[in-house]
Amino acid sequence: MTQSATSSDRIGQAPGVPPPERLREASWGTIRKLFALEPGSIHLNTGTIGAMPHAVLDTNDRVTREWNGSMRDVYPPGMYTEHRAAIGRSFGVDEDEMVICHNATEGVARIIHGLDLHDGDEVVTTTHECYSVLSNFNLVRNRHGLTIRTITLPTGYHVRAGDILELFERAITPRTKVLAFAAITLFTGTRLPLRRLCELAQRHGLITIVDGALLPGMLNCNLRATGVDFLSGSGSKFQCGPLGTGLIYLRNKIFPEYNSLPLPTFWPVISTWYPMIGSTPPRTRTGVASYNIGDYVQSAGSASIARGAALAKACELWDLIGRDRIERRIMNLAEYARQRLVEAFGESALFSPGSDPALRSPLIAFNPFRDAADAWNIKKYMAFVDRLESEHRIWTRWTEFDVPGSPHQHFAARVCTHIFNTFDEIDHAVKVMVRLAADMS
Ligand SMILES: Cc1ncc(COP(=O)(O)O)c(C=O)c1O
């Protein structure tokens, strides 16, 4: 019996689904069949929760049963050693730098509270961060006297990466210790220039924390090459693992070509591996780890063995299909959706970037209503999203965010594209949204 995600878990067993070794060449129509999608509905809300493939559901169920009431030692499989090594490889990093956690919120909280931050230190971040990031920094402000300097990111079709870099650079002061930002923001779907922001941070000797909740399963990304110090990711969004799964990446050795700064002091809060007497070894100054920091964070009592195995199965599927291919497919669908939304509502209705390809992501936020002032009307957005769901079985969401120079929070409708979506679904959804918005305008 094993907790590992065996390749027998229904990949290739459903009718019309190819064996694992043929997934790399499989058509997107065939790959759609891997997913347990609700028939008759259009899922355009992967930024909140993805759809699990059948093989992932099966792994979760099988491993749950295997360990149910077991007399065996449940602690070793909870270290997820093999899964962390395999998932790490998919993101260009090693097992000692990868942790399976419970979601992006837990991941980022463990990163923020693990840093050595003191009264007078500053973090530069944005008002477009998830509550999970801003509330944890606020806690550190109240507890330890951290100063938080927030940038309000520009919104709209014509935002350029250079504008964003400049805002970050201007906000850095001699007291800044940390630069924290989302890889892809959840409100406007702005893909921040990850490598360039990490380079900026390094020029100023800063620690980088990236909220990468939306990154796993969307981007084909070598985390080491980004130079980031810490990143948390969700397992249940674009990666399509079970709810209650996430990833943490922690830089644990130094590759000067990506980030030559010393490894930051890090306190692994919530750990049953941290020594009960004494402390951890000094951190390495080379490309060879002085200890496995991932183990310190991973070891935190009994673990969700089945969910970890199911997340590993989702990652294995992604590797078989090809993460490069997946990113291209997601972005092809996103470009199509962006173009259709511009045709339907006009460029000025978009809060997401469009003209700078570096900033585009598959999350697109827009105002579907005729009156631009409706962007302040939460009730309209709630009704729009509810009616799409209840009357048309189209799943989207609304978001809220600050806009530079505006006293009001703005609201937007948001759609996301993923590999299981189709061009026809996008056409249908846009047509329905045009009619519904006209009816509500
Ligand atoms: C950018 C971003 N960060 C963090 C989160 C929180 O993710 P989780 O539910 O995995 O904790 C979300 C959720 O939508 C998100 O989009």
Side-chain angles (χ1 to χ4, degrees):
M1 227 185 269
T2 167
Q3 90 284 4
S4 66
T6 66
S7 37
S8 64
D9 283 314
R10 293 242 317 243
I11 306 177
Q13 289 181 14
V17 172
E21 66 281 4
R22 301 251 312 274
L23 282 174
R24 176 86 209 175
E25 280 78 45
S27 72
W28 294 113
T30 301
I31 285 170
R32 183 178 158 96
K33 294 188 190 138
L34 297 176
F35 290 87
L37 294 167
E38 205 172 301
S41 66
I42 299 182
H43 185 337
L44 296 174
N45 192 16
T46 299
T48 303
I49 176 175
M52 277 185 268
H54 295 286
V56 174
L57 284 163
D58 290 352
T59 301
N60 200 27
D61 185 49
R62 175 179 59 76
V63 180
T64 300
R65 287 170 192 281
E66 279 173 11
W67 287 89
N68 179 38
S70 172
M71 298 300 285
R72 289 162 303 142
D73 186 352
V74 294
Y75 294 104
M79 293 301 284
Y80 301 125
T81 308
E82 287 169 32
H83 298 330
R84 283 161 55 204
I87 295 171
R89 268 195 302 280
S90 307
F91 292 98
V93 302
D94 298 326
E95 180 256 337
D96 60 296
E97 300 165 306
M98 184 54 72
V99 172
I100 295 178
C101 65
H102 295 104
N103 54 36
T105 301
E106 186 206 68
V108 87
R110 291 172 76 178
I111 293 166
I112 290 172
H113 299 295
L115 291 180
D116 217 21
L117 294 172
H118 302 282
D119 195 1
D121 290 344
E122 288 182 4
V123 55
V124 169
T125 187
T126 84
T127 60
H128 288 197
E129 300 312 311
C130 181
Y131 326 103
S132 56
V133 173
L134 294 176
S135 49
N136 279 289
F137 275 126
N138 191 37
L139 193 157
V140 180
R141 164 165 53 195
N142 294 338
R143 189 176 181 196
H144 297 299
L146 179 75
T147 298
I148 306 171
R149 293 172 69 85
T150 49
I151 295 161
T152 293
L153 292 174
T155 58
Y157 196 83
H158 293 291
V159 177
R160 314 289 308 173
D163 307 338
I164 293 175
L165 284 158
E166 211 179 296
L167 284 170
F168 273 94
E169 182 139 36
R170 280 213 304 263
I172 295 169
T173 77
R175 309 201 80 150
T176 307
K177 290 283 179 327
V178 177
L179 212 64
F181 56 92
I184 299 105
T185 67
L186 84 141
F187 304 121
T188 63
T190 304
R191 178 175 172 176
L192 293 185
L194 180 50
R195 174 65 188 154
R196 290 166 75 189
L197 282 170
C198 288
E199 283 169 351
L200 171 70
Q202 287 171 40
R203 284 200 296 280
H204 292 269
L206 310 180
I207 299 166
T208 39
I209 302 179
V210 170
D211 171 10
L214 299 163
L215 184 151
M218 178 204 294
L219 302 183
N220 180 31
C221 182
N222 180 318
L223 291 176
R224 180 170 294 154
T226 65
V228 66
D229 286 301
F230 301 95
L231 179 139
S232 71
S234 175
S236 61
K237 300 184 191 297
F238 281 83
Q239 191 53 74
C240 294
L243 271 173
T245 55
L247 296 170
I248 302 174
Y249 163 69
L250 314 99
R251 190 165 70 100
N252 196 37
K253 38 216 168 197
I254 296 180
F255 296 95
E257 63 275 39
Y258 305 124
N259 187 347
S260 59
L261 292 179
L263 297 174
T265 301
F266 185 72
W267 301 95
V269 289
I270 319 183
S271 176
T272 40
W273 203 266
Y274 191 80
M276 284 178 280
I277 298 170
S279 55
T280 53
R283 304 210 68 187
T284 186
R285 290 160 185 271
T286 71
V288 180
S290 54
Y291 63 96
N292 187 328
I293 198 163
D295 279 355
Y296 284 75
V297 180
Q298 189 66 69
S299 176
S302 51
S304 327
I305 302 172
R307 275 189 276 160
L311 174 63
K313 171 59 78 181
C315 291
E316 182 196 331
L317 265 174
W318 256 236
D319 292 340
L320 288 166
I321 298 167
R323 287 180 185 270
D324 51 342
R325 208 182 151 213
I326 287 172
E327 182 178 331
R328 276 198 304 277
R329 163 73 176 178
I330 293 174
M331 288 311 299
N332 283 343
L333 287 162
E335 289 327 320
Y336 185 72
R338 198 182 320 271
Q339 188 192 323
R340 296 305 319 271
L341 289 167
V342 167
E343 283 161 18
F345 303 113
E347 221 171 75
S348 61
L350 261 69
F351 293 105
S352 304
S355 58
D356 186 344
L359 299 181
R360 291 186 206 143
S361 87
L363 285 78
I364 310 171
F366 58 99
N367 175 7
F369 304 117
R370 276 190 213 116
D371 186 354
D374 277 340
W376 305 331
N377 188 340
I378 183 175
K379 286 201 182 132
K380 259 189 148 160
Y381 280 94
M382 287 171 88
F384 184 73
V385 167
D386 280 353
R387 287 184 61 182
L388 283 174
E389 185 175 330
S390 59
E391 295 170 20
H392 303 280
R393 298 172 60 74
I394 297 173
W395 295 338
T396 61
R397 70 166 278 179
W398 55 269
T399 65
E400 63 193 315
F401 48 91
D402 288 346
V403 167
S406 169
H408 306 277
Q409 279 236 304
H410 280 49
F411 298 91
R414 190 193 77 184
V415 295
C416 309
T417 55
H418 206 355
I419 50 171
F420 47 71
N421 292 127
T422 64
F423 292 96
D424 285 348
E425 283 184 339
I426 294 167
D427 282 338
H428 177 69
V430 173
K431 242 185 251 162
V432 169
M433 288 191 277
V434 167
R435 261 190 275 125
L436 182 58
D439 183 43
M440 293 176 68
S441 276

